[in-house]
């Protein structure tokens, strides 16, 4: 059983996990993917994940995560972030300790991406997986 790194306290307006839909085109499913491919790629690169590794796409903020297990996340995009209420810069990696709270706030733009070192392992079907309060994210 995977070790839970982050617990979703609030998913906000729109919070999804995806990395695109390569490999399904023969079934008529378009590739799709993140709305901001540059920020998506940078978030993954910040934690040494392979290009296209699934990560969390947040639209308009409102996402709140409880840190269950110490981990490293890469954050990129136009929204603002805080850890325990302390503002964090975007376009960087952050080491999080168990017991902390990570918030993504509206401001500056529409979308942000959070990549978890080791990838985001969550049950997924065709298309992006919408996060809900109570979901757990594991590398």
């Amino acid at each position: 059983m995977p070790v839970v790194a982050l617990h979703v306290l609030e998913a906000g307006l729109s919070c999804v996990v995806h990395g695109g839909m390569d490999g399904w085109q023969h079934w008529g499913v378009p590739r799709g993917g993140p709305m901001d491919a540059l920020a998506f790629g940078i978030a993954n690169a910040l934690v040494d994940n392979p290009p296209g590794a699934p990560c969390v796409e947040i639209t308009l903020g409102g996402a709140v995560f409880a840190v269950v297990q110490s981990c490293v996340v890469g954050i990129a995009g136009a929204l603002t972030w805080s850890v325990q209420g302390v503002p964090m810069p975007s376009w960087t990696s952050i080491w999080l300790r168990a017991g902390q709270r990570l918030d993504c706030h509206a401001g500056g733009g529409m979308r942000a991406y959070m990549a978890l070192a080791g990838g985001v392992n969550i049950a997924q079907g065709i298309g992006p997986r919408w996060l809900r309060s109570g979901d757990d994210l594991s590398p």
Side-chain angles (χ1 to χ4, degrees):
M1 178 154 222
V3 174
V4 173
L6 299 171
H7 178 75
V8 180
L9 296 174
E10 297 176 33
L13 177 67
S14 173
C15 193
V16 299
V17 175
H18 65 72
M21 294 301 302
D22 278 338
W24 292 88
Q25 288 71 41
H26 65 284
W27 290 100
V29 177
R31 183 186 182 307
M35 293 298 290
D36 183 343
L38 177 64
F40 171 82
I42 289 173
N44 270 317
L46 286 166
V47 293
D48 290 328
N49 285 348
C55 71
V56 177
E57 177 182 78
I58 301 163
T59 302
L60 297 176
V64 180
F65 304 90
V67 182
V68 178
Q69 175 81 19
S70 294
C71 61
V72 177
V73 297
I75 55 174
L79 301 178
T80 60
W81 297 84
S82 65
V83 175
Q84 296 297 106
V86 177
M88 293 287 136
S90 197
W91 310 100
T92 191
S93 1
I94 302 171
W95 181 72
L96 299 169
R97 292 187 317 254
Q100 290 183 315
R101 177 180 155 143
L102 174 66
D103 292 76
C104 181
H105 313 277
M110 287 194 61
R111 286 186 184 77
Y113 295 83
M114 178 187 66
L116 180 60
V120 176
N121 181 13
I122 190 167
Q124 197 165 334
I126 294 178
R129 163 64 155 79
W130 291 81
L131 290 182
R132 298 176 300 272
S133 298
D135 282 340
D136 291 322
L137 304 177
S138 302

